[in-house]
Amino acid sequence: MSANTSLLWRDMTVFDGLREHPEPMAVLTRGDRVERLCPMHALTGADIDGAREAGSHGVVTPGLVDCHTHLVFGGNRAGEFEQRLEGASYAEIAKAGGGILATVRATREASEDALLEAARPRLQALIDDGVTCVEIKSGYGLTVADELKMLRVARRLGERLPVRVVTTLLGAHALPPEYKGASDDYIDLVCNEMIPAAVAEDLADAVDVFCESIAFSVAQCERVFQAARAHGLPIKAHAEQLSNLGGTAMAARYGALSADHIEYLDDEGVAAMQEAGSVAVLLPGAFHTLRETQLPPVGALREARVPIALATDANPGSSPMFMPTLMLNLACTLFRLTPREALAGMTAHGARALRRPELGRLAEGAPADLCVWDVERPAELAYAVQPGRLRQRVINGEVTHDA
Ligand code: NIG
Ligand code: FE
């Protein structure tokens, strides 16, 4: 693509990341930016000079942003899926050494190349469903070397495939077996060795924790956040997923970009998020997979105007789901989000949860990351679960998918 390549779509229905524009729109990109986004009648001859006609009619959205995934891992946990169907709970399986730790064993055994090849088709599935920016967490290595190995794989995926990858160090995901009975020592390792090593190689864009009775306490997570802050890294948290420990409110005090899952969040937690400007990341795939019944406090979040993002949480245990548009549907059916809220959750608000507010929006001057869908209305993307509707996907002004 030359720096001045210009693409023009006419008579489009535009969802800009926050709302649908009421009239037929023209979308024009030049180089890696959106140059014009205007009603059709406002388009001038000068605007379209030299532009290539890229299509007309259909829906344009920003490229989707999947702000919470665990895409890099070894093995799979289909056996655990069967155990849960026979009545075992996620927490019981974890306490018995399965769950996250089963994936840790398989991930430690795998080479960097093997992890890359295993993750590639999963990431391709997200891309084929419209994702242009994805967050990928570590958290299945739990040694300095294995966590860095996961993060390197995540960075390499971003170099090999046409997608922006944001990485998150999730060293405090589970207590590895060699630290049994010594969880504070493991937190020392995360704070004093893992975070500095990830920073030294520029492998982590943020730091995450799992704050839960089966993982780490609020006090331990706070120590991780202090270390992250000392190294200038933003933080986020898996919190209030299985119980209410107050991890979200503590994370908010550290200016968390987001608190994720949050089914058990209470009013105090919502207020803390509002004050901190944190994003609420809802993960309907995990809710569905774990057959959770406690609903996240969507009404209270709306009332407090806490931005709500949505993500796949793609991982081998709680959310083996690699289809972002399915999450739009699940968020509406399970959490009663409106289709507009769901789409904003996978575009503008997802980007904000990654501290990339320039993404997830269609606006003049914004990066030209967009999707053209073969539907008439944006709401259809949430209404029907139907692969194959992505007509074009553009990243950085380059068409990478053209059906
Ligand atoms: O987002 N909650 C903790 N971590 C992941 C699950 C990881 C796993 O089960 O492998 C989650 O649900
Ligand atoms: Fe997760």
Side-chain angles (χ1 to χ4, degrees):
M1 180 191 69
S2 99
N4 272 330
T5 299
S6 185
L7 302 171
L8 172 67
W9 287 265
R10 295 173 187 267
D11 286 305
M12 306 305 292
T13 299
V14 169
F15 176 82
D16 69 8
L18 292 174
R19 61 187 63 80
E20 181 176 336
H21 288 251
E23 47 190 332
M25 301 287 284
V27 182
L28 180 83
T29 64
R30 189 171 303 274
D32 60 5
R33 300 274 139 184
V34 174
E35 182 161 272
R36 286 285 279 145
L37 180 71
C38 64
M40 277 306 293
H41 63 75
L43 192 66
T44 67
D47 285 335
I48 63 177
D49 191 32
R52 178 162 78 74
E53 300 278 343
S56 66
H57 302 284
V59 166
V60 184
T61 67
L64 302 186
V65 177
D66 191 352
C67 70
H68 180 142
T69 85
H70 309 249
L71 272 186
V72 173
F73 57 84
N76 78 74
R77 308 226 299 270
E80 182 185 303
F81 176 66
E82 292 176 302
Q83 276 176 276
R84 282 204 309 276
L85 292 175
E86 281 160 18
S89 75
Y90 183 69
E92 282 161 6
I93 291 168
K95 281 187 197 124
I100 293 170
L101 291 182
T103 300
V104 169
R105 289 189 286 276
T107 303
R108 285 180 176 179
E109 270 169 31
S111 69
E112 211 175 292
D113 287 344
L115 288 174
L116 183 91
E117 287 316 312
R120 185 197 291 269
R122 297 176 201 131
L123 180 52
Q124 190 64 51
L126 300 188
I127 291 171
D128 291 344
D129 203 34
V131 168
T132 52
C133 178
V134 64
E135 184 251 22
I136 302 179
K137 300 178 194 296
S138 66
Y140 295 123
L142 312 186
T143 65
V144 175
D146 288 306
E147 288 291 300
L148 296 193
K149 173 175 79 174
M150 290 187 70
L151 293 172
R152 261 185 233 114
V153 171
R155 287 270 196 248
R156 278 172 68 193
L157 284 164
E159 288 156 14
R160 309 236 162 151
L161 293 173
V163 65
R164 302 176 197 269
V165 172
V166 175
T167 60
T168 301
L169 174 66
L170 176 56
H173 192 198
L175 185 66
E178 60 276 15
Y179 279 85
K180 201 165 183 205
S183 59
D184 284 324
D185 295 343
Y186 180 67
I187 293 296
D188 285 342
L189 177 79
V190 173
C191 295
N192 302 334
E193 296 182 42
M194 237 174 236
I195 292 175
V199 168
E201 287 192 45
D202 192 21
L203 286 174
D205 300 317
V207 170
D208 195 351
V209 297
F210 186 15
C211 187
E212 194 57 66
S213 58
I214 57 167
F216 298 100
S217 69
V218 175
Q220 291 172 325
C221 294
E222 181 162 8
R223 287 180 53 211
V224 175
F225 292 159
Q226 285 165 348
R229 175 185 277 178
H231 285 89
L233 287 176
I235 60 113
K236 43 181 56 229
H238 285 71
E240 271 67 68
Q241 179 188 9
L242 308 171
S243 61
N244 184 325
L245 296 186
T248 300
M250 184 278 291
R253 286 203 302 279
Y254 284 79
L257 293 176
S258 68
D260 304 35
H261 288 288
I262 60 169
E263 280 88 342
Y264 287 82
L265 189 67
D266 58 15
D267 288 347
E268 214 178 300
V270 172
M273 293 187 76
Q274 177 190 38
E275 200 174 319
S278 304
V279 177
V281 178
L282 303 187
L283 304 169
F287 180 94
H288 162 80
T289 301
L290 300 181
R291 302 180 73 232
E292 181 56 70
T293 53
Q294 171 79 30
L295 285 162
V298 170
L301 292 167
R302 269 190 197 122
E303 213 167 299
R305 298 185 173 279
V306 173
I308 298 174
L310 279 185
T312 59
D313 194 17
N315 77 66
S318 67
S319 188
M321 304 206 167
F322 306 91
M323 188 178 180
T325 55
L326 171 61
M327 300 304 130
L328 302 176
N329 176 274
L330 291 180
C332 295
T333 52
L334 298 174
F335 298 161
R336 290 293 181 233
L337 261 59
T338 65
R340 188 199 67 74
E341 287 174 319
L343 267 173
M346 278 225 145
T347 53
H349 296 158
R352 190 166 154 184
L354 298 179
R355 208 164 66 170
R356 299 295 303 269
E358 76 282 14
L359 302 177
R361 298 291 302 274
L362 280 181
E364 292 181 357
D369 289 10
L370 59 87
C371 293
V372 181
W373 306 89
D374 277 320
V375 296
E376 284 174 23
R377 299 178 48 208
E380 287 176 55
L381 295 171
Y383 150 75
V385 179
Q386 187 179 344
R389 295 174 297 180
L390 181 65
R391 187 196 304 166
Q392 286 156 319
R393 178 184 168 281
V394 176
I395 182 165
N396 245 333
E398 239 178 298
V399 181
T400 60
H401 168 103
D402 213 337

